[in-house]
Amino acid sequence: MLIINSHVHIPLHEIELTAMRAQGAGGQNVNKVSSAIHLRFDIHKSSLSDFCKSRLLALDDKRISSDGVLIIKAQRHRTQEMNRADALERLREIVVNAIKIVKDRRATKPTFSSKQKRMDGKTIRSTIKSARARVIVE
């Protein structure tokens, strides 16, 4: 079970993990060890709620194919186990960010007292600076 939050869980049998050879540096080891993980998660066939599915499918993410399959390639680490954990964590983050409801910001105005304090501070600062000015003696 991949636990997203207290209400959302994804059974591991819905997540397809495949080991493959990683790209990049690693010397001779990179050519013979399958340490990268290819994660495939079919959003349509998952047991997630309709709300979660619609939010995931509405994401503008290049990792989600037109068929509704989320594909993550994890090859940051040298071991297969760490890449597997990384891929599952990235899947969890994507789902968490998709189902998060952002509260609309309501524009507010500064209160009268805050405006008054600001103006008083400006007046005090102005008198301090004007006191530094050169005194003209006649």
Side-chain angles (χ1 to χ4, degrees):
M1 227 5 133
L2 178 64
I3 299 171
I4 307 300
N5 60 24
S6 59
H7 305 292
V8 182
H9 308 292
I10 299 175
L12 289 178
H13 66 83
E14 294 180 358
I15 303 169
E16 181 185 328
L17 296 166
T18 310
M20 55 193 265
R21 291 190 180 140
Q23 297 171 320
Q28 295 174 347
N29 194 47
V30 78
N31 296 326
K32 53 188 180 177
V33 179
S34 298
S35 60
I37 295 293
H38 197 78
L39 181 144
R40 291 175 60 84
F41 177 65
D42 193 343
I43 298 169
H44 292 295
K45 294 180 183 176
S46 69
S47 61
L48 293 173
S49 66
D50 291 335
F51 171 75
C52 293
K53 288 180 186 179
S54 63
R55 293 293 294 250
L56 275 169
L57 292 169
L59 287 177
D60 185 27
D61 196 333
K62 65 181 182 196
R63 294 172 291 190
I64 299 175
S65 69
S66 58
D67 302 333
V69 178
L70 176 66
I71 300 168
I72 298 173
K73 186 175 181 185
Q75 58 181 6
R76 294 178 185 167
H77 305 284
R78 290 185 146 217
T79 63
Q80 195 177 95
E81 294 78 24
M82 290 180 76
N83 282 329
R84 181 177 286 123
D86 182 40
L88 291 172
E89 180 60 28
R90 283 160 57 189
L91 172 64
R92 193 185 78 73
E93 287 174 6
I94 291 169
V95 175
V96 164
N97 290 333
I99 62 176
K100 188 187 306 179
I101 299 172
V102 180
K103 188 177 176 182
D104 290 339
R105 183 188 178 281
R106 188 185 303 160
T108 59
K109 294 180 181 177
T111 61
F112 177 77
S113 65
S114 66
K115 288 181 190 176
Q116 196 66 42
K117 286 177 189 174
R118 181 174 154 269
M119 296 313 291
D120 291 343
K122 284 171 154 285
T123 306
I124 292 169
R125 193 73 190 150
S126 173
T127 56
I128 290 170
K129 287 191 171 194
S130 63
R132 291 186 199 146
R134 188 178 301 171
V135 178
I136 302 171
V137 180
E138 293 179 19

